[in-house]
């Protein structure tokens, strides 16, 4: 499945106008959700709507649990995707981020046309949301809350069993459901309330393991954030660079919106 997606992605890039070298290189980086490009400008180098939409499709596919790809191929139906709770949450998350980005870009007249606002909003939402890290626009200059929204989306990341980084959609789902269960327990202290994902009741030990992962994640994040600020970095740069490294994202905000080359040696070692 991985090899097939990579080959089809490379062929699509080539037919859309990339050279063979660029097509193969970017297909590796797209399916692996690596985000590296053969050009300093990343996807902006090509300035092609066709290439952007091809990247969007394959970044989206790479962020899905590969077990679902196998089941869909084996059963010759997309029902495996639609029946999966994590996949639905994944789609809802990316759609919400995309909708907010596009609405703000259109309202602010950031780009000359609605089509461009939708294209750039969709590309960066999927790229950052799946932790790929490709860029086709200077999203760090986008208006209001959009840069912070995109960085926060990378915390969710891709599905379990995908090539995406981040905390993973299923863990975020369980954290959210656990929070809802605790609120219900405040109202009904004697009730026995299970956490359900799809048609399955999740064992409390699994939920505890997720909370343990989340606690360790936050602790490491805070320690690194404070350490980087101690090296002289501003809060925006420190926050986004830690998020970009822990989530396997890449691009950040502030002083690291293009590269990390200007950071001090101590900051680089911490990252």
């Amino acid at each position: 499945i991985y090899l097939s997606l990579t080959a089809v992605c490379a062929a699509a890039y080539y037919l859309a106008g990339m050279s063979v070298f660029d097509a193969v290189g970017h297909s590796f980086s797209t399916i692996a959700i690596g985000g590296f490009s053969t050009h300093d400008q990343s996807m902006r180098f090509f300035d092609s709507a066709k290439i952007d939409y091809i990247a969007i499709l394959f970044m989206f596919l790479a962020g899905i649990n590969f077990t679902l790809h196998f089941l869909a191929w084996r059963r010759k139906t997309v029902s495996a995707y639609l029946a999966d709770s994590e996949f639905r949450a994944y789609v809802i998350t990316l759609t919400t981020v995309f909708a907010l980005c596009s609405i703000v870009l259109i309202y602010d007249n950031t780009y000359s046309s609605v089509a461009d606002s939708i294209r750039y909003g969709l590309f960066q939402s999927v790229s950052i949301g799946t932790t790929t890290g490709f860029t086709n626009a200077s999203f760090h200059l986008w208006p209001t809350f959009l840069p912070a929204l995109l960085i926060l989306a990378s915390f969710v990341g891709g599905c379990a069993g995908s090539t995406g980084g981040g905390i993973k959609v299923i863990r975020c789902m369980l954290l959210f459901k656990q929070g809802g269960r605790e609120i219900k327990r405040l109202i009904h202290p004697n009730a026995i309330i299970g956490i359900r994902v799809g048609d399955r009741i999740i064992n409390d030990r699994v939920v505890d393991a997720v909370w343990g992962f989340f606690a360790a994640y936050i602790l490491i994040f805070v320690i690194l954030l404070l350490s980087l600020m101690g090296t002289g970095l501003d809060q925006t740069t420190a926050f986004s660079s830690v998020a970009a490294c822990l989530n396997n994202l890449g691009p950040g905000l502030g002083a690291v919106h293009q590269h990390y080359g200007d950071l001090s040696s101590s900051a680089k070692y911490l990252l």
Side-chain angles (χ1 to χ4, degrees):
I1 291 169
Y2 189 103
L3 179 62
S4 299
L5 285 174
T6 303
V8 174
C9 181
Y13 278 146
Y14 176 72
L15 293 175
M18 282 190 183
S19 67
V20 173
F21 178 78
D22 283 340
V24 172
H26 283 84
S27 70
F28 289 164
S29 195
T30 302
I31 303 303
I33 299 192
F36 286 103
S37 173
T38 52
H39 301 279
D40 289 343
Q41 292 179 297
S42 191
M43 287 298 190
R44 283 179 290 179
F45 174 85
F46 302 101
D47 193 23
S48 168
K50 289 182 181 179
I51 290 174
D52 284 351
Y53 283 113
I54 290 170
I56 289 167
L57 172 61
F58 284 96
M59 287 188 294
F60 175 78
L61 292 175
I64 299 172
N65 190 326
F66 273 49
T67 302
L68 296 182
H69 293 322
F70 172 75
L71 292 174
W73 169 78
R74 187 178 186 181
R75 298 171 182 174
K76 304 297 189 292
T77 177
V78 297
S79 60
Y81 298 110
L82 302 178
D84 187 70
S85 299
E86 185 184 25
F87 174 78
R88 295 198 298 270
Y90 172 69
V91 172
I92 290 171
T93 301
L94 292 182
T95 301
T96 302
V97 175
F98 156 62
L100 289 171
C101 286
S102 297
I103 290 171
V104 173
L105 291 175
I106 293 170
Y107 180 79
D108 192 70
N109 292 318
T110 304
Y111 296 102
S112 58
S113 67
V114 172
D116 282 345
S117 296
I118 292 174
R119 169 188 161 193
Y120 292 124
L122 179 58
F123 184 95
Q124 290 303 152
S125 297
V126 175
S127 178
I128 304 300
T130 59
T131 70
T132 307
F134 281 139
T135 57
N136 70 344
S138 300
F139 75 92
H140 65 284
L141 297 176
W142 281 2
T144 63
F145 58 83
L146 295 189
L149 172 67
L150 290 172
I151 293 296
L152 291 175
S154 72
F155 283 85
V156 179
C159 299
S162 73
T163 56
I167 294 174
K168 296 294 192 299
V169 176
I170 188 64
R171 288 195 182 105
C172 292
M173 283 178 58
L174 291 175
L175 290 171
F176 180 80
K177 288 177 178 289
Q178 168 69 355
R181 179 170 71 169
E182 293 307 313
I183 292 175
K184 291 178 183 177
R185 282 175 168 172
L186 290 174
I187 303 171
H188 306 286
N190 296 321
I192 298 175
I193 304 169
I195 294 179
R196 184 182 296 274
V197 174
D199 58 354
R200 292 186 303 151
I201 297 292
I202 303 300
N203 189 293
D204 283 345
R205 292 199 63 179
V206 174
V207 180
D208 291 341
V210 171
W211 273 109
F213 172 90
F214 184 68
Y217 183 98
I218 295 300
L219 178 63
I220 293 171
F221 189 97
V222 170
I223 291 173
L224 288 173
L225 173 64
L226 295 177
S227 299
L228 284 173
M229 292 178 67
T231 67
L233 294 182
D234 61 274
Q235 188 171 352
T236 299
T237 300
F239 181 89
S240 65
S241 59
V242 174
C245 289
L246 273 185
N247 295 329
N248 286 337
L249 171 62
L253 305 176
V256 294
H257 71 273
Q258 286 186 324
H259 56 75
Y260 293 74
D262 295 330
L263 299 186
S264 66
S265 295
S266 57
K268 289 174 183 173
Y269 279 119
L270 287 168
L271 293 173

